[in-house]
Amino acid sequence: MALTLRSSTSFLSPAAHKPTTTAGDDSPPPCCVSIPSPPPSATRRLRLTRAAPVEHLEAAPESAILHGGGGGGGGHGRRKGTPVYVMLPLDTIGAGGKLGRGRAMAASLMALKSAGVEGVMVDVWWGVVEREGPRRYDWEGYAELVRMAEIAGVKLQMVMSFHQCGGNVGDSCNIPLPPWVLEEMSSNPDIVYTDRSGRRNPEYISLGCDNVPVLKGRTPIQVYSDFMRSFRDTFRDYLGNTIVEIQVGLGPCGELRYPSYPEANGTWRFPGIGEFQSYDKYMRASLQAAALAAGHEEWGRDGGPHDAGQYKQFPEETGFFRRDGTWNTDYGRFFLGWYSGMLLEHGDRVLAAAESVFRGTGAALSAKVAGIHWHYRTRSHAAELTAGYYNTRHRDGYAAIAAAVARRGAALNFTCMEMRDQQQPEHAGCSPELLVRQVRDAARSARATLAGENALERYDAAAFAQVVATAASARLAAFTYLRMNKNLFDGDNWRQFVAFVRDMANGGERGAALPSCDTEQSDLYVGFLDAAVKRAAPEAEAAAAVV
Protein backbone atom coordinates (compact mmCIF):
# COMPACT_ATOMS: atom_id res chain seq x y z
CA MET A 1 0.00 0.00 0.00
CA ALA A 2 1.36 3.39 -0.96
CA LEU A 3 1.56 6.13 1.63
CA THR A 4 1.13 9.85 1.13
CA LEU A 5 2.66 12.48 3.39
CA ARG A 6 0.07 15.03 4.54
CA SER A 7 2.05 17.10 6.99
CA SER A 8 5.29 19.04 6.93
CA THR A 9 5.85 18.27 10.60
CA SER A 10 7.88 15.38 11.93
CA PHE A 11 6.58 11.93 11.02
CA LEU A 12 7.74 10.44 14.33
CA SER A 13 5.30 9.41 16.99
CA PRO A 14 5.50 11.54 20.15
CA ALA A 15 6.95 8.65 22.08
CA ALA A 16 9.81 8.30 19.63
CA HIS A 17 10.60 12.00 19.42
CA LYS A 18 13.98 13.05 20.75
CA PRO A 19 15.83 16.36 20.70
CA THR A 20 17.07 17.28 17.23
CA THR A 21 20.80 17.26 16.64
CA THR A 22 22.71 19.08 13.95
CA ALA A 23 22.48 18.17 10.28
CA GLY A 24 26.08 17.06 10.28
CA ASP A 25 25.56 14.51 13.03
CA ASP A 26 26.26 11.03 11.68
CA SER A 27 24.59 9.22 14.57
CA PRO A 28 21.44 7.21 13.81
CA PRO A 29 18.39 9.47 13.42
CA PRO A 30 15.64 9.32 16.04
CA CYS A 31 13.36 7.48 13.60
CA CYS A 32 15.52 4.37 13.76
CA VAL A 33 14.57 1.46 15.96
CA SER A 34 17.59 0.33 17.92
CA ILE A 35 19.32 -2.74 16.56
CA PRO A 36 19.59 -5.65 18.96
CA SER A 37 23.03 -7.08 19.50
CA PRO A 38 23.56 -10.09 17.24
CA PRO A 39 23.96 -13.50 18.86
CA PRO A 40 27.52 -14.87 18.98
CA SER A 41 27.11 -17.12 15.96
CA ALA A 42 29.11 -17.52 12.77
CA THR A 43 26.32 -16.01 10.66
CA ARG A 44 25.65 -12.99 12.92
CA ARG A 45 22.02 -13.30 11.81
CA LEU A 46 19.79 -10.52 13.10
CA ARG A 47 16.20 -10.74 14.19
CA LEU A 48 14.61 -7.54 12.98
CA THR A 49 11.96 -5.87 15.08
CA ARG A 50 9.14 -4.29 13.12
CA ALA A 51 8.97 -0.55 13.56
CA ALA A 52 6.03 1.05 15.32
CA PRO A 53 3.16 2.30 13.13
CA VAL A 54 3.94 5.61 11.45
CA GLU A 55 1.83 8.55 12.48
CA HIS A 56 0.76 11.47 10.27
CA LEU A 57 0.68 9.22 7.18
CA GLU A 58 -2.48 8.51 5.27
CA ALA A 59 -2.99 5.39 3.21
CA ALA A 60 -3.50 5.86 -0.53
CA PRO A 61 -6.22 3.94 -2.42
CA GLU A 62 -5.70 0.24 -3.03
CA SER A 63 -5.58 0.99 -6.77
CA ALA A 64 -2.00 2.19 -6.28
CA ILE A 65 -0.49 -1.24 -6.90
CA LEU A 66 3.19 -1.61 -6.15
CA HIS A 67 5.74 -2.78 -8.68
CA GLY A 68 6.64 -6.34 -7.79
CA GLY A 69 3.53 -7.84 -6.31
CA GLY A 70 4.03 -11.54 -6.81
CA GLY A 71 6.27 -14.05 -5.10
CA GLY A 72 9.44 -15.06 -6.83
CA GLY A 73 9.21 -12.27 -9.32
CA GLY A 74 5.77 -12.90 -10.77
CA GLY A 75 2.62 -10.84 -10.64
CA HIS A 76 3.95 -7.38 -11.44
CA GLY A 77 0.83 -5.31 -11.05
CA ARG A 78 -0.24 -2.59 -13.46
CA ARG A 79 -1.51 0.83 -12.63
CA LYS A 80 -1.75 4.09 -14.52
CA GLY A 81 1.70 5.51 -14.99
CA THR A 82 5.06 4.24 -13.82
CA PRO A 83 6.31 4.28 -10.21
CA VAL A 84 9.68 5.97 -9.75
CA TYR A 85 12.45 4.70 -7.48
CA VAL A 86 15.74 6.46 -6.74
CA MET A 87 19.16 4.81 -6.40
CA LEU A 88 20.86 5.53 -3.11
CA PRO A 89 24.59 6.42 -3.00
CA LEU A 90 26.89 3.49 -3.67
CA ASP A 91 28.43 3.82 -0.21
CA THR A 92 25.12 4.05 1.69
CA ILE A 93 26.39 1.05 3.64
CA GLY A 94 30.14 1.55 3.88
CA ALA A 95 33.01 -0.91 3.85
CA GLY A 96 32.63 -1.44 7.61
CA GLY A 97 28.99 -2.46 7.28
CA LYS A 98 27.57 0.71 8.88
CA LEU A 99 24.89 3.07 7.63
CA GLY A 100 26.52 6.47 7.24
CA ARG A 101 24.96 9.93 7.59
CA GLY A 102 21.86 8.56 9.25
CA ARG A 103 20.10 11.89 9.84
CA ALA A 104 20.65 13.03 6.28
CA MET A 105 19.35 9.70 4.98
CA ALA A 106 16.19 9.89 7.12
CA ALA A 107 15.46 13.43 5.90
CA SER A 108 16.17 12.44 2.30
CA LEU A 109 13.79 9.48 2.41
CA MET A 110 11.05 11.68 3.80
CA ALA A 111 11.67 14.26 1.06
CA LEU A 112 11.57 11.65 -1.67
CA LYS A 113 8.34 10.29 -0.26
CA SER A 114 6.79 13.75 -0.24
CA ALA A 115 7.72 14.12 -3.93
CA GLY A 116 5.74 11.01 -4.82
CA VAL A 117 8.70 8.65 -5.19
CA GLU A 118 7.70 5.03 -4.66
CA GLY A 119 10.95 3.86 -3.10
CA VAL A 120 14.71 3.59 -3.32
CA MET A 121 17.27 1.09 -4.59
CA VAL A 122 20.35 0.08 -2.61
CA ASP A 123 23.31 -2.19 -3.39
CA VAL A 124 23.74 -5.05 -0.92
CA TRP A 125 27.47 -5.50 -1.31
CA TRP A 126 28.88 -9.02 -1.08
CA GLY A 127 32.23 -7.44 -0.18
CA VAL A 128 30.65 -5.70 2.82
CA VAL A 129 28.27 -8.32 4.18
CA GLU A 130 30.55 -11.39 3.97
CA ARG A 131 33.83 -9.55 4.53
CA GLU A 132 34.76 -11.37 7.74
CA GLY A 133 34.88 -14.85 6.23
CA PRO A 134 32.83 -17.54 4.47
CA ARG A 135 29.21 -17.65 5.76
CA ARG A 136 29.89 -14.87 8.28
CA TYR A 137 27.25 -12.32 7.35
CA ASP A 138 26.89 -8.83 8.78
CA TRP A 139 23.45 -7.33 8.00
CA GLU A 140 23.41 -4.60 10.67
CA GLY A 141 23.73 -1.57 8.40
CA TYR A 142 21.10 -2.90 6.01
CA ALA A 143 18.77 -3.72 8.91
CA GLU A 144 18.94 -0.10 10.03
CA LEU A 145 18.19 1.12 6.50
CA VAL A 146 15.23 -1.24 6.09
CA ARG A 147 13.63 -0.02 9.30
CA MET A 148 14.28 3.58 8.29
CA ALA A 149 12.60 2.98 4.93
CA GLU A 150 9.58 1.38 6.59
CA ILE A 151 9.12 4.35 8.89
CA ALA A 152 9.45 6.81 5.98
CA GLY A 153 6.90 4.82 4.01
CA VAL A 154 9.15 4.09 1.03
CA LYS A 155 9.71 0.74 -0.66
CA LEU A 156 13.07 -0.91 -1.26
CA GLN A 157 14.66 -2.48 -4.31
CA MET A 158 17.67 -4.36 -2.96
CA VAL A 159 20.45 -5.47 -5.30
CA MET A 160 22.39 -8.64 -4.58
CA SER A 161 25.68 -7.05 -5.64
CA PHE A 162 28.15 -9.87 -6.20
CA HIS A 163 30.51 -7.52 -8.03
CA GLN A 164 33.20 -5.04 -7.14
CA CYS A 165 32.43 -1.32 -6.97
CA GLY A 166 35.14 0.79 -8.61
CA GLY A 167 36.56 1.12 -12.09
CA ASN A 168 33.39 1.77 -14.09
CA VAL A 169 31.25 4.73 -15.13
CA GLY A 170 29.70 6.40 -12.08
CA ASP A 171 31.65 4.40 -9.49
CA SER A 172 32.32 6.93 -6.73
CA CYS A 173 33.85 4.60 -4.15
CA ASN A 174 35.85 1.41 -3.93
CA ILE A 175 34.26 -1.74 -2.50
CA PRO A 176 36.19 -4.88 -3.54
CA LEU A 177 34.99 -8.46 -3.26
CA PRO A 178 35.33 -10.10 0.17
CA PRO A 179 38.96 -10.42 1.35
CA TRP A 180 38.74 -14.20 1.51
CA VAL A 181 37.60 -14.25 -2.12
CA LEU A 182 40.51 -12.02 -3.11
CA GLU A 183 42.81 -14.51 -1.41
CA GLU A 184 41.39 -17.26 -3.62
CA MET A 185 41.96 -15.04 -6.67
CA SER A 186 45.59 -14.60 -5.67
CA SER A 187 46.15 -18.34 -5.43
CA ASN A 188 44.10 -19.12 -8.55
CA PRO A 189 44.00 -16.10 -10.92
CA ASP A 190 41.96 -18.06 -13.47
CA ILE A 191 38.78 -17.66 -11.43
CA VAL A 192 38.46 -14.11 -12.78
CA TYR A 193 37.77 -12.92 -16.32
CA THR A 194 40.82 -12.70 -18.56
CA ASP A 195 41.38 -11.04 -21.95
CA ARG A 196 43.60 -12.08 -24.86
CA SER A 197 46.68 -10.29 -23.49
CA GLY A 198 46.30 -12.01 -20.10
CA ARG A 199 44.90 -8.99 -18.24
CA ARG A 200 42.86 -10.15 -15.24
CA ASN A 201 39.70 -8.37 -14.10
CA PRO A 202 38.73 -8.74 -10.40
CA GLU A 203 35.26 -7.18 -10.78
CA TYR A 204 33.37 -10.47 -10.79
CA ILE A 205 34.06 -14.20 -10.63
CA SER A 206 34.38 -15.74 -14.11
CA LEU A 207 31.24 -17.61 -15.13
CA GLY A 208 33.53 -20.31 -16.49
CA CYS A 209 33.87 -21.70 -12.95
CA ASP A 210 30.22 -21.32 -11.86
CA ASN A 211 30.01 -25.00 -10.91
CA VAL A 212 33.60 -25.55 -9.78
CA PRO A 213 34.36 -25.50 -6.00
CA VAL A 214 36.93 -22.72 -6.25
CA LEU A 215 35.79 -20.69 -3.21
CA LYS A 216 37.03 -22.64 -0.21
CA GLY A 217 35.14 -25.78 -1.15
CA ARG A 218 32.01 -24.13 -2.55
CA THR A 219 31.08 -23.16 -6.08
CA PRO A 220 30.27 -19.51 -6.86
CA ILE A 221 26.62 -20.48 -7.39
CA GLN A 222 26.53 -22.11 -3.94
CA VAL A 223 28.12 -19.02 -2.40
CA TYR A 224 25.56 -16.72 -4.05
CA SER A 225 22.74 -19.02 -2.93
CA ASP A 226 23.94 -19.10 0.68
CA PHE A 227 24.24 -15.29 0.67
CA MET A 228 20.70 -14.82 -0.65
CA ARG A 229 19.32 -17.42 1.76
CA SER A 230 20.84 -15.59 4.72
CA PHE A 231 19.38 -12.33 3.42
CA ARG A 232 15.94 -13.94 3.09
CA ASP A 233 16.02 -15.40 6.59
CA THR A 234 17.17 -12.11 8.11
CA PHE A 235 14.62 -9.88 6.37
CA ARG A 236 11.77 -12.37 6.00
CA ASP A 237 9.19 -10.12 7.70
CA TYR A 238 9.96 -7.25 5.31
CA LEU A 239 9.94 -9.16 2.02
CA GLY A 240 6.94 -8.34 -0.10
CA ASN A 241 5.95 -5.22 1.85
CA THR A 242 8.91 -2.93 2.53
CA ILE A 243 11.36 -4.90 0.37
CA VAL A 244 9.37 -5.30 -2.82
CA GLU A 245 12.10 -6.30 -5.28
CA ILE A 246 15.34 -8.26 -5.33
CA GLN A 247 17.57 -7.40 -8.26
CA VAL A 248 19.98 -10.29 -8.74
CA GLY A 249 23.53 -9.31 -9.66
CA LEU A 250 24.72 -11.31 -12.68
CA GLY A 251 28.03 -9.68 -13.61
CA PRO A 252 30.08 -6.46 -13.52
CA CYS A 253 27.96 -3.49 -12.39
CA GLY A 254 25.34 -6.09 -11.48
CA GLU A 255 24.54 -6.54 -15.18
CA LEU A 256 24.23 -9.72 -17.21
CA ARG A 257 27.36 -9.19 -19.33
CA TYR A 258 31.09 -9.76 -19.54
CA PRO A 259 33.45 -6.98 -18.30
CA SER A 260 34.37 -6.12 -21.89
CA TYR A 261 34.79 -2.36 -21.45
CA PRO A 262 36.57 -1.67 -18.12
CA GLU A 263 37.49 1.96 -17.52
CA ALA A 264 40.00 1.26 -14.74
CA ASN A 265 43.51 2.50 -15.54
CA GLY A 266 42.34 3.76 -18.93
CA THR A 267 41.96 0.24 -20.31
CA TRP A 268 38.87 1.20 -22.36
CA ARG A 269 37.53 4.49 -23.61
CA PHE A 270 34.19 5.27 -25.26
CA PRO A 271 33.33 4.33 -27.98
CA GLY A 272 35.81 1.46 -28.14
CA ILE A 273 34.63 -1.99 -29.17
CA GLY A 274 35.98 -3.71 -26.06
CA GLU A 275 37.51 -7.19 -25.93
CA PHE A 276 36.31 -10.75 -25.47
CA GLN A 277 36.80 -12.18 -21.96
CA SER A 278 37.25 -15.88 -22.73
CA TYR A 279 40.86 -16.58 -21.84
CA ASP A 280 40.85 -17.96 -18.28
CA LYS A 281 41.46 -21.69 -18.14
CA TYR A 282 37.85 -22.53 -17.34
CA MET A 283 36.47 -20.59 -20.31
CA ARG A 284 39.16 -22.08 -22.53
CA ALA A 285 38.23 -25.61 -21.46
CA SER A 286 34.58 -24.96 -22.23
CA LEU A 287 35.40 -23.51 -25.65
CA GLN A 288 37.61 -26.47 -26.50
CA ALA A 289 34.84 -28.91 -25.57
CA ALA A 290 32.31 -26.97 -27.67
CA ALA A 291 34.66 -26.89 -30.66
CA LEU A 292 35.28 -30.62 -30.40
CA ALA A 293 31.52 -31.25 -30.25
CA ALA A 294 31.05 -29.09 -33.35
CA GLY A 295 33.61 -31.17 -35.25
CA HIS A 296 36.15 -28.34 -35.48
CA GLU A 297 38.74 -28.92 -32.79
CA GLU A 298 40.89 -26.14 -34.26
CA TRP A 299 38.23 -23.53 -33.34
CA GLY A 300 38.93 -24.06 -29.65
CA ARG A 301 42.71 -23.80 -29.60
CA ASP A 302 43.23 -20.06 -29.25
CA GLY A 303 40.58 -19.16 -26.68
CA GLY A 304 39.00 -16.62 -29.01
CA PRO A 305 39.35 -14.76 -32.33
CA HIS A 306 42.86 -13.61 -33.22
CA ASP A 307 41.62 -10.64 -35.28
CA ALA A 308 39.15 -9.01 -32.85
CA GLY A 309 41.33 -5.97 -32.15
CA GLN A 310 41.77 -4.07 -28.88
CA TYR A 311 39.59 -2.23 -26.36
CA LYS A 312 39.74 1.27 -27.87
CA GLN A 313 39.53 0.37 -31.55
CA PHE A 314 36.64 0.80 -34.00
CA PRO A 315 35.00 -2.11 -35.86
CA GLU A 316 36.52 -1.28 -39.26
CA GLU A 317 40.00 -1.36 -37.76
CA THR A 318 39.67 -5.10 -37.09
CA GLY A 319 39.34 -8.20 -39.21
CA PHE A 320 36.65 -9.71 -37.02
CA PHE A 321 34.17 -6.82 -36.67
CA ARG A 322 34.51 -4.97 -39.96
CA ARG A 323 31.58 -4.86 -42.38
CA ASP A 324 32.28 -8.28 -43.95
CA GLY A 325 34.47 -9.59 -41.17
CA THR A 326 35.02 -12.91 -39.45
CA TRP A 327 31.93 -12.40 -37.26
CA ASN A 328 29.78 -13.45 -40.23
CA THR A 329 31.68 -16.68 -41.05
CA ASP A 330 31.04 -20.21 -39.79
CA TYR A 331 33.78 -19.80 -37.20
CA GLY A 332 32.49 -16.40 -36.11
CA ARG A 333 28.94 -17.69 -35.69
CA PHE A 334 30.22 -20.67 -33.72
CA PHE A 335 32.32 -18.57 -31.36
CA LEU A 336 29.65 -15.91 -30.77
CA GLY A 337 27.02 -18.58 -30.20
CA TRP A 338 29.21 -20.26 -27.58
CA TYR A 339 30.26 -16.97 -25.92
CA SER A 340 26.72 -15.60 -25.62
CA GLY A 341 25.35 -19.01 -24.71
CA MET A 342 27.72 -19.25 -21.75
CA LEU A 343 26.44 -15.88 -20.53
CA LEU A 344 22.81 -16.95 -20.84
CA GLU A 345 23.50 -20.18 -18.96
CA HIS A 346 25.20 -18.22 -16.19
CA GLY A 347 22.26 -15.86 -15.88
CA ASP A 348 19.85 -18.77 -15.74
CA ARG A 349 21.86 -20.54 -13.03
CA VAL A 350 21.98 -17.50 -10.73
CA LEU A 351 18.33 -16.58 -11.38
CA ALA A 352 17.28 -20.18 -10.74
CA ALA A 353 19.04 -20.03 -7.38
CA ALA A 354 17.32 -16.72 -6.57
CA GLU A 355 13.94 -18.05 -7.67
CA SER A 356 14.35 -21.01 -5.33
CA VAL A 357 15.41 -18.83 -2.40
CA PHE A 358 12.77 -16.09 -2.72
CA ARG A 359 9.81 -18.14 -3.94
CA GLY A 360 6.75 -17.38 -1.83
CA THR A 361 8.25 -14.37 -0.05
CA GLY A 362 6.23 -11.80 -1.99
CA ALA A 363 9.33 -10.04 -3.33
CA ALA A 364 9.74 -9.70 -7.08
CA LEU A 365 12.94 -10.63 -8.91
CA SER A 366 14.68 -8.61 -11.60
CA ALA A 367 17.80 -8.85 -13.76
CA LYS A 368 19.70 -5.94 -15.28
CA VAL A 369 20.89 -5.79 -18.90
CA ALA A 370 23.30 -3.09 -20.08
CA GLY A 371 22.35 -0.55 -22.74
CA ILE A 372 25.36 -0.85 -25.07
CA HIS A 373 24.27 1.58 -27.76
CA TRP A 374 27.59 2.48 -29.43
CA HIS A 375 28.31 0.90 -32.84
CA TYR A 376 24.67 -0.19 -32.89
CA ARG A 377 24.33 1.19 -36.43
CA THR A 378 27.10 -1.04 -37.77
CA ARG A 379 26.50 -4.53 -39.14
CA SER A 380 28.43 -6.41 -36.46
CA HIS A 381 27.36 -4.42 -33.35
CA ALA A 382 30.88 -5.03 -32.07
CA ALA A 383 30.52 -3.53 -28.58
CA GLU A 384 27.48 -5.68 -27.86
CA LEU A 385 29.25 -8.81 -29.08
CA THR A 386 32.25 -8.46 -26.80
CA ALA A 387 29.85 -7.92 -23.86
CA GLY A 388 28.12 -11.21 -24.69
CA TYR A 389 25.02 -9.95 -26.48
CA TYR A 390 24.90 -11.80 -29.82
CA ASN A 391 23.00 -9.03 -31.56
CA THR A 392 23.91 -8.15 -35.16
CA ARG A 393 22.27 -6.73 -38.28
CA HIS A 394 21.12 -10.28 -39.05
CA ARG A 395 20.30 -11.61 -35.58
CA ASP A 396 18.16 -10.50 -32.62
CA GLY A 397 20.25 -11.08 -29.53
CA TYR A 398 17.78 -9.75 -26.98
CA ALA A 399 14.96 -12.19 -27.68
CA ALA A 400 16.89 -15.01 -26.01
CA ILE A 401 17.83 -12.79 -23.06
CA ALA A 402 14.24 -11.67 -22.48
CA ALA A 403 13.00 -15.25 -22.74
CA ALA A 404 15.61 -16.47 -20.25
CA VAL A 405 14.68 -13.77 -17.74
CA ALA A 406 10.94 -14.35 -18.17
CA ARG A 407 11.38 -18.09 -17.69
CA ARG A 408 12.51 -17.40 -14.11
CA GLY A 409 9.64 -15.00 -13.44
CA ALA A 410 11.97 -11.99 -13.26
CA ALA A 411 11.64 -8.50 -14.69
CA LEU A 412 14.13 -7.28 -17.28
CA ASN A 413 15.69 -4.01 -16.15
CA PHE A 414 17.22 -2.03 -19.03
CA THR A 415 19.33 1.12 -19.03
CA CYS A 416 19.84 4.22 -21.27
CA MET A 417 16.15 5.12 -21.17
CA GLU A 418 16.96 8.85 -21.11
CA MET A 419 19.12 8.96 -24.25
CA ARG A 420 18.27 10.28 -27.70
CA ASP A 421 20.08 9.40 -30.90
CA GLN A 422 20.65 13.03 -31.86
CA GLN A 423 22.58 13.66 -28.64
CA GLN A 424 25.24 11.05 -29.42
CA PRO A 425 28.51 11.62 -31.34
CA GLU A 426 28.05 10.65 -34.98
CA HIS A 427 31.36 8.80 -35.26
CA ALA A 428 30.28 6.32 -32.55
CA GLY A 429 27.39 4.84 -34.55
CA CYS A 430 25.07 5.11 -31.56
CA SER A 431 21.34 4.52 -31.49
CA PRO A 432 20.02 4.21 -27.94
CA GLU A 433 16.46 4.82 -29.15
CA LEU A 434 16.51 1.92 -31.62
CA LEU A 435 18.16 -0.27 -28.99
CA VAL A 436 15.50 0.51 -26.37
CA ARG A 437 12.80 -0.18 -28.96
CA GLN A 438 14.37 -3.54 -29.80
CA VAL A 439 14.56 -4.56 -26.14
CA ARG A 440 10.97 -3.39 -25.60
CA ASP A 441 9.76 -5.58 -28.46
CA ALA A 442 11.81 -8.55 -27.22
CA ALA A 443 10.29 -8.21 -23.74
CA ARG A 444 6.78 -8.07 -25.20
CA SER A 445 7.35 -11.17 -27.31
CA ALA A 446 8.72 -13.07 -24.31
CA ARG A 447 5.94 -11.72 -22.04
CA ALA A 448 8.65 -10.38 -19.76
CA THR A 449 8.06 -7.47 -17.41
CA LEU A 450 10.18 -4.50 -18.48
CA ALA A 451 11.63 -1.90 -16.11
CA GLY A 452 14.16 0.84 -16.75
CA GLU A 453 16.96 3.10 -15.56
CA ASN A 454 18.86 6.10 -16.87
CA ALA A 455 22.50 5.43 -17.73
CA LEU A 456 23.91 8.87 -16.90
CA GLU A 457 23.15 11.39 -14.17
CA ARG A 458 20.97 14.03 -15.84
CA TYR A 459 18.51 16.66 -14.60
CA ASP A 460 17.49 18.39 -17.84
CA ALA A 461 13.94 18.53 -19.14
CA ALA A 462 14.87 16.73 -22.38
CA ALA A 463 16.17 13.66 -20.54
CA PHE A 464 13.13 13.53 -18.25
CA ALA A 465 10.77 13.93 -21.23
CA GLN A 466 12.49 11.06 -23.05
CA VAL A 467 12.04 8.77 -20.06
CA VAL A 468 8.37 9.73 -19.71
CA ALA A 469 7.73 8.99 -23.38
CA THR A 470 9.61 5.69 -23.27
CA ALA A 471 7.87 4.60 -20.07
CA ALA A 472 4.48 5.22 -21.66
CA SER A 473 5.25 3.45 -24.95
CA ALA A 474 7.01 0.48 -23.32
CA ARG A 475 4.60 0.27 -20.36
CA LEU A 476 7.49 0.15 -17.90
CA ALA A 477 6.62 -1.56 -14.62
CA ALA A 478 9.00 0.75 -12.76
CA PHE A 479 11.76 3.26 -13.38
CA THR A 480 14.79 3.70 -11.12
CA TYR A 481 16.49 7.09 -11.27
CA LEU A 482 20.26 7.39 -11.00
CA ARG A 483 21.06 8.76 -8.38
CA MET A 484 20.34 10.41 -5.02
CA ASN A 485 23.07 12.91 -4.17
CA LYS A 486 23.55 16.57 -3.36
CA ASN A 487 22.89 17.62 -6.96
CA LEU A 488 19.42 16.05 -6.95
CA PHE A 489 18.34 18.31 -4.07
CA ASP A 490 19.54 21.47 -5.78
CA GLY A 491 16.57 23.83 -6.24
CA ASP A 492 16.24 23.74 -10.05
CA ASN A 493 17.17 20.07 -10.34
CA TRP A 494 14.73 19.16 -7.60
CA ARG A 495 11.90 21.12 -9.23
CA GLN A 496 12.48 19.32 -12.54
CA PHE A 497 12.64 15.97 -10.76
CA VAL A 498 9.38 16.53 -8.86
CA ALA A 499 7.64 17.41 -12.13
CA PHE A 500 9.13 14.27 -13.71
CA VAL A 501 7.82 12.01 -10.93
CA ARG A 502 4.38 13.54 -11.34
CA ASP A 503 4.44 13.06 -15.12
CA MET A 504 5.49 9.42 -14.71
CA ALA A 505 2.61 8.86 -12.31
CA ASN A 506 0.22 10.43 -14.82
CA GLY A 507 1.32 8.11 -17.59
CA GLY A 508 2.95 10.89 -19.58
CA GLU A 509 -0.02 13.24 -19.39
CA ARG A 510 1.75 16.37 -18.25
CA GLY A 511 -0.22 18.60 -15.94
CA ALA A 512 0.08 22.28 -15.26
CA ALA A 513 3.49 23.72 -14.44
CA LEU A 514 4.52 23.36 -10.82
CA PRO A 515 4.25 26.69 -9.01
CA SER A 516 6.97 27.77 -6.64
CA CYS A 517 4.47 27.62 -3.79
CA ASP A 518 0.92 26.29 -3.54
CA THR A 519 -1.56 25.01 -0.97
CA GLU A 520 -1.02 21.30 -1.74
CA GLN A 521 2.38 21.04 -0.07
CA SER A 522 4.37 21.07 -3.34
CA ASP A 523 6.37 23.82 -1.65
CA LEU A 524 7.20 21.21 0.96
CA TYR A 525 9.34 19.30 -1.48
CA VAL A 526 10.65 22.24 -3.53
CA GLY A 527 11.53 24.92 -1.00
CA PHE A 528 11.73 22.29 1.72
CA LEU A 529 14.96 20.86 0.32
CA ASP A 530 16.70 24.03 -0.82
CA ALA A 531 19.42 24.41 1.81
CA ALA A 532 19.99 27.98 0.66
CA VAL A 533 16.49 28.99 1.80
CA LYS A 534 16.82 30.00 5.42
CA ARG A 535 13.30 28.95 6.29
CA ALA A 536 14.08 25.34 5.33
CA ALA A 537 13.47 22.74 8.01
CA PRO A 538 16.43 20.96 9.68
CA GLU A 539 15.50 17.73 7.90
CA ALA A 540 15.74 19.53 4.54
CA GLU A 541 19.21 20.81 5.32
CA ALA A 542 20.28 17.27 6.12
CA ALA A 543 18.77 15.97 2.87
CA ALA A 544 20.49 18.65 0.81
CA ALA A 545 23.80 17.76 2.49
CA VAL A 546 23.73 14.06 1.61
CA VAL A 547 26.30 12.98 -0.98
Side-chain angles (χ1 to χ4, degrees), residues 147-165:
R147 284 192 290 261
M148 189 180 290
E150 183 189 35
I151 288 175
V154 297
K155 306 303 178 185
L156 282 169
Q157 298 170 320
M158 303 192 78
V159 186
M160 302 291 102
S161 296
F162 299 118
H163 62 282
Q164 165 190 291
C165 179

Side-chain angles (χ1 to χ4, degrees), residues 27 239 336 407 436:
S27 60
L239 291 170
L336 294 171
R407 185 165 56 249
V436 169

Side-chain angles (χ1 to χ4, degrees), residues 59-100:
E62 288 292 342
S63 59
I65 303 172
L66 291 175
H67 164 60
H76 289 265
R78 289 302 309 171
R79 65 180 182 184
K80 179 183 177 182
T82 302
V84 174
Y85 291 75
V86 175
M87 296 184 198
L88 294 183
L90 292 168
D91 60 351
T92 294
I93 306 299
K98 304 298 181 183
L99 173 65

Side-chain angles (χ1 to χ4, degrees), residues 169-478:
V169 177
D171 286 353
S172 57
C173 62
N174 181 46
I175 301 177
L177 300 187
W180 60 274
V181 175
L182 297 180
E183 291 176 6
E184 295 294 286
M185 289 181 177
S186 296
S187 61
N188 182 8
D190 279 291
I191 70 174
V192 300
Y193 287 116
T194 308
D195 64 20
R196 184 174 179 82
S197 64
R199 185 185 288 105
R200 309 284 189 178
N201 191 320
E203 289 184 64
Y204 188 82
I205 300 293
S206 169
L207 62 83
C209 58
D210 271 356
N211 294 318
V212 183
V214 295
L215 298 178
K216 297 193 181 298
R218 288 184 295 163
T219 71
I221 300 299
Q222 289 173 331
V223 171
Y224 303 152
S225 296
D226 290 342
F227 182 94
M228 291 188 287
R229 193 173 297 110
S230 176
F231 176 89
R232 178 203 64 194
D233 293 345
T234 302
F235 296 99
R236 185 184 298 274
D237 290 342
Y238 291 83
L239 291 170
N241 43 73
T242 298
I243 303 172
V244 297
E245 180 177 331
I246 305 297
Q247 187 172 109
V248 186
L250 301 173
C253 295
E255 298 165 334
L256 178 64
R257 66 173 176 87
Y258 293 97
S260 57
Y261 50 98
E263 283 201 312
N265 302 316
T267 301
W268 171 87
R269 184 176 63 245
F270 177 84
I273 57 177
E275 290 191 22
F276 292 114
Q277 306 292 310
S278 54
Y279 294 88
D280 64 76
K281 70 180 182 182
Y282 302 102
M283 294 291 283
R284 280 178 175 270
S286 174
L287 178 60
Q288 290 167 1
L292 190 62
H296 288 275
E297 184 178 0
E298 69 278 10
W299 287 352
R301 290 173 184 164
D302 295 332
H306 64 84
D307 56 351
Q310 298 176 347
Y311 287 102
K312 299 177 184 179
Q313 287 187 297
F314 279 61
E316 292 303 315
E317 297 175 325
T318 74
F320 192 86
F321 297 114
R322 67 190 181 192
R323 181 182 178 90
D324 295 312
T326 313
W327 65 274
N328 203 25
T329 64
D330 287 342
Y331 165 72
R333 286 186 285 271
F334 158 77
F335 176 79
L336 294 171
W338 166 81
Y339 189 70
S340 63
M342 289 286 284
L343 184 67
L344 284 173
E345 290 175 10
H346 167 72
D348 187 67
R349 280 191 288 266
V350 182
L351 283 175
E355 182 185 29
S356 175
V357 169
F358 293 106
R359 184 184 296 118
T361 63
L365 295 182
S366 69
K368 186 175 177 181
V369 175
I372 302 176
H373 56 84
W374 53 103
H375 303 304
Y376 186 87
R377 292 188 180 276
T378 66
R379 289 193 174 190
S380 66
H381 293 229
E384 292 165 88
L385 297 185
T386 57
Y389 305 156
Y390 191 0
N391 190 56
T392 70
R393 181 74 59 85
H394 313 303
R395 188 180 191 276
D396 183 356
Y398 296 99
I401 294 173
V405 171
R407 185 165 56 249
R408 295 300 175 185
L412 193 162
N413 190 299
F414 197 68
T415 59
C416 73
M417 294 282 178
E418 85 286 9
M419 294 184 174
R420 293 180 177 176
D421 290 359
Q422 64 187 26
Q423 299 167 336
Q424 311 307 316
E426 188 172 345
H427 71 280
C430 300
S431 186
E433 293 180 75
L434 287 178
L435 175 57
V436 169
R437 195 175 308 161
Q438 181 183 357
V439 171
R440 177 200 67 188
D441 293 344
R444 284 178 178 172
S445 296
R447 301 180 67 116
T449 299
L450 183 64
E453 297 179 2
N454 52 311
L456 301 175
E457 183 181 321
R458 290 178 60 180
Y459 305 95
D460 56 290
F464 285 137
Q466 181 69 9
V467 173
V468 171
T470 302
S473 66
R475 291 179 58 81
L476 295 185

Side-chain angles (χ1 to χ4, degrees), residues 16-36:
H17 220 306
K18 294 181 180 180
T20 303
T21 59
T22 63
D25 186 3
D26 284 341
S27 60
C31 62
C32 290
V33 179
S34 60
I35 301 177

